[in-house]
Amino acid sequence: MKNKYPATYAAAAADPSAFWLEAAKSIDWIKSPSKGVSLSNPPAAQWFEDGVCNTCFNAVDRHATGERGDQPALIYHSAMTGARVTYSYKDLLRHVASLAGAMKRAGAGKGDRVVIYMPMIPEAVFAMLACARIGAVHSVVFGGFAAAELAKRIDDAAPKLLLTASCGLEPSRIVEYKPLVDAALETASHTVDKVILFQRPELRAPLQSPRDIAWDAFLENASDAHCEPIAATDPLYILYTSGTTGAPKGVVRDNGGHMTALAWSMGAVYNIHAGDVFWAASDIGWVVGHSYIVYAPLLIGATTVLYEGKPVGTPDAGEFWRVINQYNVKTLFTAPTAFRAIKGQDPSGGWIERSDLRSLKALFLAGERADPDTVNWARDKLNIPVIDHWWQTELGWPALATCLGLGDQEARIGSAGKPVPGFRVDVVDEAGAGFNAEKTGEIVIRPPLAPGAFTSLWRNKSGYERNFDINQIYKTGDAGHIDENGFISVMSRTDDLINVAGHRLSTGMIEQIIADHPDVAECAVIGVKDDLKGQRPVGLYVLNAGVNRDEQAISEEIIAQVREEIGPVAAFKSAFSVSKLPKTRSGKVLRATLRKIANGEPYPMPPTIEDPGALD
């Protein structure tokens, strides 16, 4: 296939409005837009402001009533319960229209907010799409999220309804949701009209308040709701980022730009088309789950996999390969930490060798930096393209990638790729000037932001504007460098650039070297205060399963390797083996929290932490 990336990128940069108006033709519009981008209210980029549409119609109805009605739309695979359920597009329409009708009967309508606090079960997807159907604005909050954090989001979003389930399932425990919901509602100042509870067989929760309604009773005798006309610029959802202090940061996504960008990205970036099976092994509490479990695959008529489980331990390091084989998954999208966990439990790749993975054509990694050791391991074992790519909650879809669907096959290990058409990405110094190749600086995106990016923060205009400089350039908060061929490497957050005796070093560079050690499964490097040098790097690493060598010897080997590759300027003298690293539920290592602990600073328990015991 001819490489169309250079010409496509150039066209999107030369005339963004014309480019995305053409891409918008893949969407069924109630009123087609005549305008592309508007910057009438900078820094916000409004896309298709005169268009009218409905996201649920495009994701469900047009396929259900067309030739794809009997095709699998959603495959639910629970490694926790053993459940295996496939929903066709017709099935999806039936469930979504009924739930939307019940929501409408309960008083929720266009512009009202609905909080969804649920595990990875099909009813959570039905709820998201039902909100989109009637124009309600959904806000998905991780099931099992701390009550105090849930309360903050309830107060900020001010929802009419809260949809939840009786419990979530972890490998070693059942997490009761209802007590957390009750505690959050008792703390919150906002009053929710109704709490709709889905009872799971593993645990049934009591209905203790007049506002509590069982899911089945809520749906009883509800009329199917039709798709409401929604302005392209109206909000589709609010997604709160994983901040740990202060008011929550609610990223707002629109309807028209969001649909256009996601539908375009499935073909151009992931090479996924109608009828293909796509699996984003993430969670609907994160932006990846919103974009690539729920909306993007359904918008183009593909089949999406909803997975409840972990990469290892549910029951073993072979579960990912069984899912791929069972459903003929064409492309897998997951976090690097998932592969580090699999590699740590199965370093020889025995589970892969015993699996039939002929359907799998590509692996995409995102969520945090994909270290070269993990990428090389995956490439060697799977023998397919392994693509690291980069984006953020604020952006909604990839800004850096290798666009397989455009015929671009060139990926550089250690790099997240080149800018995706629609995003003008640069690396700048502290004064905002562009850098020469290979110098580390802040990654920024020049206006306008592509369709699908956030248009504001919910109820927080000033917070939104702080993401931009005086020239309306978006500051990503990530640090990296660009090489002479335009490949950008995202090395760390700007907070993770450390100053060692006047030298600015990226902790990601040191982590890359540690991860290359054959006994290391995963690692993190933090900057610790030092009276002489200002800061010094400290490495923490987790060993591969089965390694029983002397840990002091391994640490000495790691220190020697860092000093050899970076030099004495790194002042790297401390590396310690740990049993686990604290992570968010999306797999990001909580480096900022580790840094505060190491420096003796107070820290709040991060609300998105997966295992609080990892901080012990």
Side-chain angles (χ1 to χ4, degrees):
M1 179 181 178
K2 181 183 177 182
N3 186 358
K4 300 177 183 177
Y5 167 78
T8 306
Y9 183 84
D15 192 341
S17 287
F19 181 89
W20 290 110
L21 278 169
E22 182 63 29
K25 292 178 181 177
S26 70
I27 300 303
D28 284 359
W29 295 87
I30 297 169
K31 177 177 181 260
S32 296
S34 63
K35 300 178 182 178
V37 66
S38 169
L39 291 172
S40 58
N41 185 29
Q46 299 289 333
W47 287 91
F48 315 126
E49 62 182 5
D50 61 342
V52 180
C53 56
N54 185 280
T55 294
C56 182
F57 179 86
N58 279 275
V60 181
D61 296 58
R62 65 171 173 169
H63 308 305
T65 58
E67 62 183 19
R68 301 196 175 276
D70 295 320
Q71 176 196 303
L74 176 70
I75 296 171
Y76 171 51
H77 180 106
S78 176
M80 307 301 301
T81 69
R84 311 283 189 268
V85 185
T86 297
Y87 299 87
S88 69
Y89 274 99
K90 287 179 180 176
D91 295 331
L92 195 56
L93 175 58
R94 178 168 50 85
H95 285 284
V96 170
S98 175
L99 180 55
M103 286 183 182
K104 201 167 182 179
R105 182 177 62 184
K110 193 179 296 186
D112 292 325
R113 275 78 61 207
V114 175
V115 165
I116 301 169
Y117 182 78
M118 302 186 76
M120 289 286 285
I121 57 177
E123 287 73 17
V125 176
F126 303 160
M128 293 171 67
L129 293 165
C131 289
R133 190 173 193 83
I134 62 174
V137 181
H138 67 71
S139 180
V140 177
V141 180
F142 270 123
F145 215 47
E149 294 299 326
L150 176 58
K152 290 179 185 177
R153 286 148 179 78
I154 290 170
D155 278 339
D156 194 65
K160 269 187 175 291
L161 306 177
L162 189 153
L163 278 62
T164 188
S166 56
C167 67
L169 304 176
E170 296 292 334
S172 59
R173 63 190 178 115
I174 294 176
V175 182
E176 297 186 53
Y177 285 3
K178 190 59 165 54
L180 295 169
V181 169
D182 290 342
L185 291 173
E186 187 174 326
T187 303
S189 58
H190 174 76
T191 301
V192 173
D193 290 355
K194 291 179 175 64
V195 174
I196 319 305
L197 178 75
F198 180 81
Q199 299 282 13
R200 300 193 75 181
E202 292 75 21
L203 181 142
R204 297 187 65 83
L207 303 178
Q208 297 173 312
S209 165
R211 70 180 170 226
D212 296 344
I213 305 174
W215 191 278
D216 290 344
F218 183 67
L219 290 175
E220 192 172 0
N221 297 323
S223 300
D224 289 354
H226 61 77
C227 293
E228 296 286 345
I230 308 295
T233 52
D234 279 352
L236 172 66
Y237 68 77
I238 306 164
L239 184 59
Y240 291 95
T241 57
S242 53
T244 59
T245 61
K249 180 181 176 183
V251 168
V252 177
R253 198 81 64 211
D254 66 1
N255 277 269
H258 173 258
M259 278 196 289
T260 300
L262 291 191
W264 183 86
S265 74
M266 287 301 285
V269 177
Y270 300 104
N271 197 27
I272 291 290
H273 306 282
D276 290 337
V277 182
F278 185 80
W279 179 22
S282 183
D283 191 296
I284 59 167
W286 297 110
V287 68
V288 172
H290 281 60
S291 294
Y292 292 106
I293 296 175
V294 181
Y295 289 112
L298 299 178
L299 285 169
I300 66 163
T303 299
T304 185
V305 177
L306 180 73
Y307 176 77
E308 184 183 34
K310 305 290 183 184
V312 298
T314 57
D316 50 46
E319 185 66 3
F320 268 31
W321 318 128
R322 287 189 287 270
V323 171
I324 290 167
N325 170 255
Q326 184 170 352
Y327 307 116
N328 292 314
V329 172
K330 180 181 177 182
T331 295
L332 171 64
F333 175 2
T334 190
T337 190
F339 261 72
R340 285 194 286 268
I342 293 170
K343 171 176 168 285
Q345 292 296 311
D346 184 27
S348 67
W351 280 110
I352 296 174
E353 292 174 4
R354 296 190 293 272
S355 303
D356 183 351
L357 302 177
R358 284 176 292 179
S359 69
L360 189 65
K361 304 304 181 186
L363 167 66
F364 281 81
L365 301 171
E368 63 175 352
R369 185 169 183 270
D371 58 278
D373 184 62
T374 299
V375 174
N376 280 323
W377 183 86
R379 283 184 175 180
D380 179 60
K381 302 302 180 187
L382 295 172
N383 196 29
I384 58 174
V386 177
I387 308 298
D388 182 20
H389 64 325
W390 170 89
W391 44 299
Q392 302 175 319
T393 301
E394 290 85 351
L395 301 179
W397 62 290
L400 298 173
T402 296
C403 294
L404 287 185
L406 296 178
D408 190 5
Q409 297 285 332
E410 190 179 7
R412 299 282 175 89
I413 292 179
S415 167
K418 295 180 179 179
V420 173
F423 290 102
R424 297 168 58 210
V425 186
D426 202 356
V427 179
V428 301
D429 61 17
E430 292 175 336
F435 266 140
N436 294 326
E438 302 296 350
K439 291 189 69 176
T440 297
E442 181 170 10
I443 297 169
V444 299
I445 302 177
R446 302 190 182 279
L449 291 182
F454 73 145
T455 56
S456 65
L457 296 179
W458 187 254
R459 301 173 65 180
N460 189 358
K461 177 70 173 175
S462 62
Y464 172 71
E465 290 175 339
R466 283 196 295 271
N467 288 275
F468 298 83
D469 71 9
I470 193 170
N471 297 312
Q472 315 304 339
I473 295 172
Y474 173 66
K475 301 177 292 183
T476 70
D478 278 323
H481 55 80
I482 183 169
D483 72 12
E484 67 278 3
N485 295 311
F487 286 90
I488 297 177
S489 297
V490 184
M491 302 305 296
S492 58
R493 295 293 291 170
T494 51
D495 289 346
D496 292 327
L497 285 175
I498 60 176
N499 194 317
V500 181
H503 299 277
R504 296 179 83 210
L505 297 174
S506 164
T507 56
M509 294 173 61
I510 303 174
E511 288 177 5
Q512 179 174 314
I513 297 167
I514 297 174
D516 281 340
H517 192 284
D519 294 333
V520 172
E522 57 183 338
C523 63
V525 173
I526 56 174
V528 176
K529 292 177 182 176
D530 185 276
D531 291 339
L532 179 62
K533 297 180 180 295
Q535 287 179 294
R536 59 183 174 85
V538 172
L540 306 173
Y541 61 89
V542 178
L543 293 172
N544 286 321
V547 173
N548 54 17
R549 294 181 57 215
D550 178 63
E551 293 178 1
Q552 181 62 35
I554 294 173
S555 294
E556 290 174 358
E557 292 167 4
I558 288 171
I559 291 168
Q561 192 63 33
V562 171
R563 292 180 68 83
E564 179 180 338
E565 295 196 27
I566 296 181
V569 67
F572 186 72
K573 301 177 181 179
S574 303
F576 304 99
S577 173
V578 296
S579 60
K580 62 179 69 173
L581 292 169
K583 300 172 185 172
T584 65
R585 289 175 60 173
S586 69
K588 293 182 181 179
V589 175
L590 291 160
R591 292 172 176 82
T593 301
L594 286 172
R595 185 170 62 245
K596 288 180 179 178
I597 293 172
N599 287 318
E601 300 172 4
Y603 69 94
M605 181 62 72
T608 55
I609 191 168
E610 181 176 47
D611 179 9
L615 293 176
D616 293 341

